[in-house]
Amino acid sequence: MTDSIKTVCPYCGVGCGLEVSPPAQPGKAVHRDSEGTPIWQVRGDRSHPSSQGLVCVKGATIAESLHKDRLLYPMMRESLGQPFRRVSWDEALDQIASRIQALRATQGADAICMYGSGQFHTEDYYVAQKLMKGCLGTNNFDANSRLCMSSAVAGYVQSLGSDGPPCCYDDLDQTDCAFLIGTNTAECHPIIFNRLRKHHKQNHHVKLIVVDPRRTPTAEAADLHLAIQPGTDIDLMNGIAYLLLRWNYLDTQFLDECTQGFSEYAEVIRHYPPERVARRCGIRKDDLELAARHWGEAKRVLSLWSMGLNQSSEGTAKVRTLINLHLMTGDIGKPGAGPFSLTGQPNAMGGREAGGLSHLLPGYRFVNNPQHRAEVEQFWGLPAGAISPQPGRTAWQMIEGLEQGEVGLLWIAATNPVVSMPDVERTKQALRQSPFTIYQEAYYPTETTAYAHVLLPAAQWSEAPGTMTNSERRVTLCPQFRTPPGEARPDWVIFAEIGQRLGFGRQFAFNSAADVHAEFVQLTRGRPCDMTGISHARLKQEGPLQWPCPEQSTVTKDSRLKSESSSRLYTNLRFNTPDGRARFGAYHSRGLAEPPDPDYPFVLTTGRLYGHWHTQTRTGRIDKIRKMHPQPFIEIHPRDAEKLGIQEGNWVEVSSRRGTARFPAQLTQAIAPGTVFVPMHWGELWAEAAEANALTHPEMCPSSLQPELKACAVQVKLLTPNRASSEPTISASAAV
Ligand code: SF4
């Protein structure tokens, strides 16, 4: 490739490096998509330390979606159901600013909400925090990351004193035992899985344990697959802890010197003898014991998890229960070991760093901490007390706020809640009641478009510079290499325009994304996620960098600030708690928020497929991926199918207490009897009545406030007459 540009994949949190080059290369045919449109060429960036040249189908095909179905101009309408009319940016922004002013004067700032996205660049996140939490004085900014990994954040904070995955991808090559729980890594984080799989294959002593109710492609590769009943993760992990204690696999020096709360924890786990645990989890006692034996005998245990633990009404407890195992055996702060959460979105990590959840402030600060608020207020040049001490509304609480008439303006950006929220019928109904919804998005339509009063066209990845942080805390610069279509603008520019219109010109006098980044990193100084040694210029010159990466006082000959970045956290075995000790969290299992019962006898579990990304806003527009996954489906065990008279390919109706959806059946032994599985990717643009989240409920973890999207109780019945399977179609817009 010539004139290639290095960037990072904008899909999942693995954060693979990409190298892109223009459609036309000297002496070569123009590179085109299947419709003949010239498109940029994409391949893996061999120099990117996180992915070393590897890339999955999503990254490889990203260029095919960039030009399709784009929202080109600001548009407005008085009420839902009316046609949109094209307006100028000035008209749209003036209207939004005057709505915000009016609401502040009448209902107060807390009537204003913004719902953002792990697709944002860190710069977008940062400017949005400054606008909402600083200038407007409401903490009602939340992101779709709330639905994805907020339990991991809460678990890390409560157990280790701070957010931040302690591990790095090199640990995948150095572990003796990989314990994967609640993650279908092979499909959802495929490049991480490739690396782990290679290490596993090449080193016979390395054990791979996978805990998942489904026999996923990840589980297929395992030495030991524990197909536990949904909702019994804590039982299992407490059962492993029981055996580690009984067999004396403890790192007593680490326990004594580096932890607190072990005796209370030991009191809880004594209630989890293997016979009882095996029965509750629906697994063999021998397998439970083998898992504990593998963990205990390994010198270095690495655990990986994602939404299978996080999306739970006891998500934080699950995360902490997993961290407990690492604390018992001292498997943290050393190569090949540690509790490693895999982020779903490309920049969920950057969101955490910039304060992009409703209880956070930039630099891993908290809105309920007076010192943190004072530091940020002072830095932003705002009066004391400008930032509210109350955590703002979370994603679901915004929906509840609409229902109760307490939210007068909802600003949604770079996400598609009409598909991804739990209980989507209730979500849609709440959005119909919204007095004023702004939808800032790159694509048109998405399912959420139909619920907006104002549409703002956003520049997307490749069209605006910015940074993203991947799961191993590595920051990569995403340069601009394409011109935004129509009048699309970068997200942070739109937020800054509103800030200026509201009278905060000084706070939003940024000339570039590099300026925004330079300001943001100053708020990380001295914090666990210190990035003061990172700048756009340095990333451009040196490539991706991991934090912590503090600015050093020494300046080299060429005047570039140099600093060392850190691969692993807690290598000195001191944690970010006041006394430097990690905390055990002792929890009994509460099980599912909605267990099966005679009326709804099946547990529905939801998940993702290899090729598709979330609600298909991009991947649904890529032929290769649509052919790979042409339609939604439900997995059901043959024994259950026989009882219900269902055969392979029959259409079935699935109902929960909240809604109904229809899918063709796939009979498979990969799912346990009593459990069914549905992928979450299909909204009403892509298939009729196949929304997984029509069925799910919004019960949340009390600590992380993350909804239990992974499981709910359903009934399943054969649809007659059978519907022939059909190709998914895209409709012009979702009905309101
Ligand atoms: Fe992109 Fe994730 Fe695939 Fe890497 S693994 S190419 S980051 S989608």
Side-chain angles (χ1 to χ4, degrees), residues 25-46:
Q25 297 284 310
K28 290 189 182 169
V30 174
H31 190 63
R32 298 176 190 277
D33 70 5
S34 56
E35 292 164 8
T37 308
I39 56 166
W40 284 67
Q41 301 176 57
V42 179
R43 70 174 184 187
D45 172 9
R46 289 194 186 161

Side-chain angles (χ1 to χ4, degrees), residues 151-168:
S151 296
V153 176
Y156 279 138
V157 170
Q158 292 175 23
S159 290
L160 307 180
S162 170
D163 187 17
C167 312
C168 62

Side-chain angles (χ1 to χ4, degrees), residues 257-279:
E257 296 177 4
C258 307
T259 70
Q260 201 184 87
F262 180 66
S263 48
E264 294 87 339
Y265 174 57
E267 175 57 30
V268 166
I269 61 176
R270 75 182 179 81
H271 297 286
Y272 291 81
E275 299 76 12
R276 188 182 300 170
V277 169
R279 201 169 48 249

